[in-house]
Amino acid sequence: MTQQQRQALDEILRHGPLDIGGDVAEQRTIFHEMIASAPLPDDVSAKQDELGGVPVVIVETSQLDPSAVLLYLHGGAYALGSAPDSVGLASDLARRVGARAISVDYRLAPEHPFPAAVDDAVAAYRALLDQGVPSSRIAFVGESAGGGLVAATLVALKDAGVPLPSSAAVFSPWTDLTVSGPSATGKAALDPALTPEALRTRARDYLGIRDPATPLASPIFADLTGLPPLLIQVGSHEILLDDAVRLAARAGEHDVPVELQVWPEVPHVFQGFAAILDDADQALNSAAAFIKRNWTD
């Protein structure tokens, strides 16, 4: 059954209308419509709010611990997606953790290039601390570009001397905006969702004239020393496989506790398909267990 599920998901993505590297306005609409087509469970509430002047969506499910927070950074190659669009996946993980999720609606490129997204994530986290939520009861979560943004935000917070969260979990993180990992071409035929050309287009939108190897844009080039425990999940059928593998290696080199989970024959951010893919359900359970292991009082 698992193999059939993987093949069915591959077909859905391979023949879908989304083109990550296409016209920004058009693809934002398509991205939103794809996400909105899946109804949220009845126990999910999503409320618009702000943290540190940054728009956020506060996501709650039944039986949550109000003292624990997942600070969630959505994907979309820094140009697509939104906090409201992330509620489905954020709530699915939050329910398993038993915590609130706060999804950050960080500014998007090309209208707001680097480092706007990093600045917004830092501001939201600082505001959460200012509200009295202890760093030990906060975990960062991010998918795709949001996964890379998690790592970059942690580095920015560390450099600023801000207390870091208890842990971070990233799904299919985009951590190298030079798009130079071997899997960028080696996995291109297997990846039903992303192409290296699309990523390079969005990287140019995000960076402008900046060097794509800038550490806060491409955290595999950053000094990760002192970061909290990190969980990295990635599928073997995606061009960002090496972004995840190299992030894990970089974290290990810098003495960061890190767990790398490579799930076979699944695509980019497969965790978003738990309703139809057993692998996604298992991955989310694993991520929830990791986050809960690292809570401290």
Side-chain angles (χ1 to χ4, degrees), residues 81-227:
S82 67
D85 288 343
S86 72
V87 169
L89 181 50
S91 65
D92 207 356
L93 180 60
R95 181 185 295 104
R96 296 162 198 255
V97 175
R100 284 184 296 156
I102 299 179
S103 186
V104 180
D105 216 4
Y106 58 86
R107 289 169 291 171
L108 299 178
E111 299 92 334
H112 304 284
F114 173 84
V118 180
D119 292 343
D120 288 352
V122 167
Y125 178 72
R126 283 181 175 269
L128 200 55
L129 296 180
D130 290 343
Q131 289 182 359
V133 181
S135 60
S136 61
R137 300 294 288 171
I138 302 172
F140 277 17
V141 181
E143 31 103 356
S144 193
L149 184 56
V150 162
T153 302
L154 291 173
V155 172
L157 291 167
K158 177 197 68 171
D159 290 347
V162 178
L164 297 179
S166 63
S167 68
V170 293
F171 306 149
S172 300
W174 187 20
T175 62
D176 176 14
L177 273 63
T178 71
V179 194
S180 60
S183 61
T185 53
K187 294 287 185 176
L190 292 173
D191 192 323
L194 300 178
T195 67
E197 294 79 11
L199 292 183
R200 292 188 181 104
T201 296
R202 296 285 83 98
R204 287 191 295 270
D205 287 344
Y206 182 53
L207 292 165
I209 62 171
R210 298 278 194 126
D211 182 353
T214 299
L216 287 186
S218 295
I220 64 162
F221 303 113
D223 181 353
L224 306 183
T225 305
L227 265 55

Side-chain angles (χ1 to χ4, degrees), residues 5-14 267 270 273 276-277:
Q5 293 171 348
R6 293 168 180 165
Q7 291 172 351
L9 178 57
D10 183 274
E11 286 296 310
I12 290 170
L13 295 175
R14 200 170 290 278
F270 67 95
F273 300 92
I276 61 172
L277 184 66

